Amino acid sequence: MIYSIKQAAKQFARNRAMSMASVFSITAILLVLGLFFILVVNINNIAESAKQDFNVIRLYLLDSTDYGMAEDIMGKFSIMPEVRQVSYLSEEKAMEDFRVKFGDKAYILDTLRENPLPNSVIVEVSRLEDAGRVAAKARAMEGVEDISYYKETVDRLLKVTNFIQIGAMAVILALVIISVVVVSNTIKLTVLAREREISIMKYVGATNWFIRGPFLGEGIFIGIVSAGVSAGLIALVYHKLVDVVGPNLLIILSAGMVPERFLISNLAIVFIALGVSIGACGSIVSMRRFLDT
Amino acid sequence: MIIYKNVTKTYGTNIGLEDVSITIKKKDFVFLVGPSGAGKSTFIKLMLKEIEPNSGGITLNGVEVTSLSNRGIPKLRRSIGVVFQDFRLLPQKTVFENVSFAMEIIHMNPRSVRRQVPQVLSLVGVSSKAYKYPGELSAGEQQRVAIARAIVNNPLVLIADEPTGNLDPDTAWEIMHLLEQINLRGTTVVMVTHAKDIVDKMGKRVIAIDRGRVVRDEKSGVYGAEEEETSRIGGGGSALL
Ligand SMILES: Nc1ncnc2c1ncn2[C@@H]1O[C@H](COP(=O)(O)OP(=O)(O)OP(=O)(O)O)[C@@H](O)[C@H]1O
Ligand SMILES: [Mg+2]
């Protein structure tokens, strides 16, 4: 173990130019990969909140509808077997919820002179399939100005997000494979330079894992350095994105971006894991030919 | 104890060894002789499980080499020390490191490495060169280091494929005395050589191989009998007919 780590460090130093070159290319690959990661995670997030809106039907009440009438309306829905839950959302509470969603960008809402949000009744159905029927009833209800119910929109959105996710996964997979090839080529150079040493080690009775050790270490080191650098850069990019795109997204889709800290810590974990596996796979692939005894 | 039983190894149409049966007792000193291409290196590679025989069985100290799985190979090789004509030292490691590295490979603790390496270096007579690099050593000294590396883990068998091939006669003899000394400590020695005078003067067991077959096996033999050479030429002739 100690031997392996010592050797790996020596090899990285001896093979510095090549190692730096592969760190550079893998960092670049991971950066692209990170952007896709951001995309996929946020699309997931939007799709999730869209799905939540899906089995919820909002009834926006007329200003003339008072709380008593609202209770009547709620009663009519709560007796329906398809309905799981009915609740009342006052305009003040709606505003408050909005503020929470905006988080530290809530100051944007301060510019509003009066609350544009109406009182509403929120009907939650147990099964998505029943949502259409319940929505039809809601629309016909007296005292209701409008309802929001996005079945088609959500359907379409889900289709699009599915497509994007599959595409992104394919790209990510391709990039990972490219990275493995890049690492394995670098390691192969070191292996070739030490072919003699490897054959001598084999004569003396070194196990394949002992021989692999230093090369594995070198590959993993390359992977971890690349992962660290690219995770850092992605963190910067995401910070900027949250600042610029975040509020707009909230206004357009009423879904927030995935919180920075959560995304970056996950990204770091994913990248380190990827870096380690890319490095390990790369070195194992490059050594296969030399250890086929 | 090394036992080859009806071992045949072919490379495509080339014959490496053909139906070879040999038994080498513990603590024996054996010369393996024969013309170029006779199958001597093939014999050694089979013992190290670098190659597999087509048929037959090989056992080394009770371990059946032929049925050993790949995972068993490192353990097998740790019980065999190997020395080559071209020394095969690592040029960027010092003499000490070239030897200690063989111990690190088998996970010896650093304390026994520090204790045993100087001992074995003094046994082969290169104590004063411990911190020099192979490039700074004479050929004879390099071969001594290679021998030190081969014996540092106390193998049961020491195999030497033409260890004196690159050495002048005096140095060659020094190496021979060293190998004899190692043999006296209880290590079985199998040496492949083309050095007629060494084989003749040492008076050890001689196994002669020609075109893959054992043609002579004498308890205290000489390098080449005259009739062997003629029969070889004659054999070649009859093969043409
Ligand atoms: N990898 C190989 N592929 C094909 N033929 C081979 C291979 N290795 C050895 N041979 C053949 O097997 C025969 C025996 O070879 P081997 O190396 O055992 O001879 P040797 O006795 O060691 O010769 P030398 O004294 O020249 O070292 C030769 O005819 C050789 O051409
Ligand atoms: Mg040979």
Side-chain angles (χ1 to χ4, degrees):
Chain A
M1 194 62 199
I2 294 163
Y3 175 87
S4 294
I5 293 168
K6 243 171 39 188
Q7 286 297 319
K10 261 191 209 164
Q11 273 171 37
F12 188 87
R14 206 178 295 154
N15 201 7
R16 199 170 338 155
M18 205 47 208
S19 300
M20 290 312 286
S22 41
V23 165
F24 191 79
S25 24
I26 289 164
T27 301
I29 290 169
L30 285 177
L31 281 178
V32 177
L33 211 136
L35 295 177
F36 275 97
F37 183 86
I38 289 176
L39 191 71
V40 168
V41 169
N42 276 292
I43 283 175
N44 249 336
N45 193 41
I46 293 168
E48 276 312 307
S49 64
K51 262 189 216 162
Q52 269 168 28
D53 286 346
F54 189 17
N55 60 357
V56 166
I57 300 155
R58 276 169 196 268
L59 290 67
Y60 299 109
L61 304 178
L62 290 166
D63 287 345
S64 57
T65 307
D66 61 23
Y67 187 68
M69 292 161 77
E71 278 193 316
D72 270 1
I73 294 173
M74 287 167 72
K76 282 185 187 136
F77 282 103
S78 55
I79 54 164
M80 292 177 75
E82 302 94 319
V83 172
R84 177 157 31 145
Q85 208 188 337
V86 183
S87 56
Y88 181 77
L89 186 66
S90 70
E91 55 175 25
E92 294 82 18
K93 183 70 173 53
M95 192 53 167
E96 214 170 283
D97 285 356
F98 225 60
R99 274 184 190 281
V100 172
K101 257 193 181 173
F102 269 83
D104 57 354
K105 308 287 182 308
Y107 59 86
I108 294 169
L109 298 173
D110 293 341
T111 53
L112 297 168
R113 209 157 297 148
E114 57 179 54
N115 190 346
L117 302 167
N119 293 319
S120 51
V121 167
I122 295 167
V123 176
E124 200 179 308
V125 296
S126 353
R127 297 193 316 144
L128 296 170
E129 292 82 353
D130 300 328
R133 203 143 24 90
V134 177
K137 186 174 173 183
R139 200 170 314 216
M141 194 80 59
E142 209 170 308
V144 174
E145 184 177 16
D146 193 12
I147 68 165
S148 73
Y149 161 64
Y150 296 113
K151 184 169 171 34
E152 285 81 23
T153 322
V154 170
D155 274 352
R156 216 170 309 134
L157 186 64
L158 289 182
K159 227 174 258 167
V160 172
T161 55
N162 258 338
F163 181 76
I164 294 178
Q165 280 172 4
I166 291 170
M169 283 302 163
V171 172
I172 287 174
L173 192 71
L175 291 177
V176 167
I177 292 171
I178 292 172
S179 315
V180 169
V181 172
V182 169
V183 175
S184 79
N185 278 329
T186 304
I187 305 284
K188 200 175 279 169
L189 280 187
T190 345
V191 174
L192 278 174
R194 297 183 60 200
E195 203 177 350
R196 200 180 149 79
E197 187 172 351
I198 289 171
S199 88
I200 292 170
M201 284 166 96
K202 284 204 276 190
Y203 276 123
V204 189
T207 58
N208 280 349
W209 279 111
F210 185 90
I211 297 172
R212 271 192 207 111
F215 299 97
L216 211 56
E218 187 185 0
I220 290 173
F221 189 69
I222 290 173
I224 288 179
V225 171
S226 316
V229 173
S230 45
L233 289 173
I234 291 286
L236 288 176
V237 170
Y238 196 65
H239 183 75
K240 203 80 197 148
L241 276 178
V242 168
D243 257 5
V244 176
V245 182
N248 296 318
L249 197 66
L250 209 47
I251 288 162
I252 299 166
L253 288 170
S254 87
M257 286 181 77
V258 176
E260 211 173 317
R261 188 170 305 162
F262 175 79
L263 183 130
I264 295 304
S265 57
N266 275 300
L267 180 94
I269 292 168
V270 169
F271 270 22
I272 297 289
L274 259 181
V276 169
S277 3
I278 287 171
C281 289
S283 52
I284 286 173
V285 166
S286 68
M287 296 201 71
R288 231 176 10 194
R289 190 161 64 81
F290 298 90
L291 293 177
D292 51 6
T293 4
Chain B
M1 186 114 117
I2 304 165
I3 303 167
Y4 279 58
K5 196 158 188 298
N6 307 110
V7 175
T8 296
K9 168 68 190 175
T10 56
Y11 305 92
T13 53
N14 280 2
I15 293 170
L17 284 183
E18 200 177 355
D19 196 23
V20 166
S21 295
I22 293 174
T23 300
I24 297 171
K25 289 202 299 288
K26 227 174 206 154
K27 302 180 185 181
D28 245 3
F29 194 120
V30 178
F31 284 116
L32 201 58
V33 301
S36 187
K40 307 181 294 295
S41 295
T42 301
F43 181 90
I44 285 174
K45 285 177 183 161
L46 283 166
M47 196 187 313
L48 294 164
K49 211 174 162 72
E50 262 187 88
I51 52 176
E52 300 289 334
N54 302 65
S55 61
I58 300 167
T59 46
L60 187 102
N61 302 305
V63 177
E64 188 148 354
V65 175
T66 24
S67 62
L68 211 58
S69 75
N70 278 357
R71 296 191 52 195
I73 292 176
K75 195 156 179 267
L76 168 76
R77 294 192 182 159
R78 287 168 196 186
S79 63
I80 306 171
V82 209
V83 177
F84 299 95
Q85 180 173 3
D86 56 358
F87 322 136
R88 302 200 187 171
L89 299 173
L90 296 169
Q92 74 279 20
K93 285 189 192 299
T94 64
V95 164
F96 187 98
E97 287 164 348
N98 262 287
V99 177
S100 68
F101 136 98
M103 294 184 80
E104 282 162 2
I105 276 171
I106 63 164
H107 308 292
M108 280 293 200
N109 64 54
R111 198 147 42 84
S112 32
V113 172
R114 277 196 302 274
R115 197 182 57 234
Q116 271 164 261
V117 173
Q119 276 176 16
V120 75
L121 287 180
S122 104
L123 177 73
V124 301
V126 288
S127 287
S128 58
K129 315 281 180 185
Y131 298 101
K132 293 224 182 310
Y133 289 87
E136 304 171 281
L137 267 53
S138 74
E141 286 163 344
Q142 288 186 53
Q143 192 60 296
R144 286 167 188 272
V145 176
I147 292 170
R149 181 181 64 198
I151 63 168
V152 71
N153 291 325
N154 293 312
L156 299 159
V157 182
L158 179 65
I159 291 181
D161 197 346
E162 296 188 48
T164 60
N166 280 352
L167 306 175
D168 65 74
D170 286 349
T171 316
W173 273 110
E174 284 170 24
I175 294 297
M176 285 320 298
H177 291 315
L178 181 56
L179 291 179
E180 200 171 20
Q181 210 182 319
I182 289 163
N183 176 240
L184 287 175
R185 295 196 326 159
T187 309
T188 310
V189 176
V190 179
M191 172 168 160
V192 172
T193 188
H194 289 292
K196 181 176 173 8
D197 64 318
I198 287 177
V199 176
D200 291 349
K201 283 207 190 101
M202 294 278 287
K204 302 286 188 188
R205 180 176 170 192
V206 175
I207 299 171
I209 306 182
D210 193 2
R211 274 162 298 161
R213 288 184 168 276
V214 176
V215 293
R216 183 161 52 93
D217 186 350
E218 290 171 344
K219 206 165 171 61
S220 176
V222 290
Y223 181 74
E226 280 306 315
E227 71 274 19
E228 235 170 74
E229 292 298 315
T230 41
S231 82
R232 199 166 77 82
I233 294 157
S238 62
L240 280 173
L241 292 172

